[in-house]
């Protein structure tokens, strides 16, 4: 739903407000990095299929396991999309294993957790009902 997409993007933008306060891996600041346009292609070839896989798994789970009506399907899709978008912030911020080898700052972690909590709880609120 268009309104759900706008709310999802607003929440995602809020999650990103912690990025300026994030910790940077030491090896990324020891010397200037060269811009390599081929890295963008590799990024797209890696994350594109993974994102699509999560989408298909979500569709499958929603349709085959939960047998949702239209509202429940939109709600499940909204929550899954917001959570994966927020997780991606932590994945692309480092070349290391996120959360284990490289931890985000308290600010970025807090904004991510708050947005995830809002996204999961929103469908149970009157605002969620108004969003469909």
């Amino acid at each position: 739903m268009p309104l759900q997409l706008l709310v999802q993007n607003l929440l995602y933008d809020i999650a990103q407000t912690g990025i300026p306060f994030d910790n940077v891996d030491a090896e990324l600041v020891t010397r200037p990095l060269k811009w390599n346009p081929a890295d963008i292609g590799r990024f797209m070839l890696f994350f594109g299929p993974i994102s699509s896989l999560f989408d298909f798994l979500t569709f499958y789970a929603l349709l085959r396991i939960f047998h949702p009506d239209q509202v429940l399907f939109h709600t499940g899709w909204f929550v899954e999309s917001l959570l994966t978008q927020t997780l991606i912030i932590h994945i692309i911020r480092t070349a290391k294993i996120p959360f284990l080898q490289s931890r985000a700052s308290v600010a970025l972690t807090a904004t991510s957790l708050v947005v995830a909590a809002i996204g999961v709880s929103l469908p149970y609120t009157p605002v969620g009902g108004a969003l469909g």
Side-chain angles (χ1 to χ4, degrees):
M1 303 278 298
L3 189 55
Q4 289 175 339
L5 287 174
L6 291 172
V7 170
Q8 181 185 44
N9 287 334
L10 174 64
L11 289 171
Y12 179 62
D13 290 346
I14 291 168
Q16 294 181 74
T17 61
I19 290 175
F21 307 101
D22 192 24
N23 307 320
V24 179
D25 295 335
E27 59 273 9
L28 293 178
V29 293
T30 56
R31 61 182 168 76
L33 298 175
K34 288 183 85 173
W35 174 253
N36 184 358
D39 289 341
I40 294 173
R42 282 192 291 276
F43 175 85
M44 292 185 318
L45 288 173
F46 182 75
F47 281 105
I50 289 174
S51 176
S52 296
L53 177 64
F54 273 97
D55 292 344
F56 288 129
L57 289 173
T58 300
F59 284 162
Y60 181 82
L62 286 171
L63 294 173
R64 299 290 181 211
I65 297 171
F66 297 104
H67 307 287
D69 60 8
Q70 185 176 4
V71 173
L72 181 59
F73 184 87
H74 287 169
T75 301
W77 181 246
F78 170 86
V79 172
E80 185 271 344
S81 295
L82 181 63
L83 293 177
T84 55
Q85 276 185 315
T86 305
L87 180 62
I88 289 295
I89 295 171
H90 294 270
I91 292 172
I92 65 173
R93 62 170 288 282
T94 182
K96 298 177 180 179
I97 298 172
F99 307 110
L100 299 177
Q101 295 177 332
S102 178
R103 291 198 174 120
S105 67
V106 172
L108 183 56
T109 302
T111 56
S112 298
L113 290 173
V114 167
V115 165
I118 291 170
V120 169
S121 61
L122 190 62
Y124 301 101
T125 68
V127 174
L131 294 174

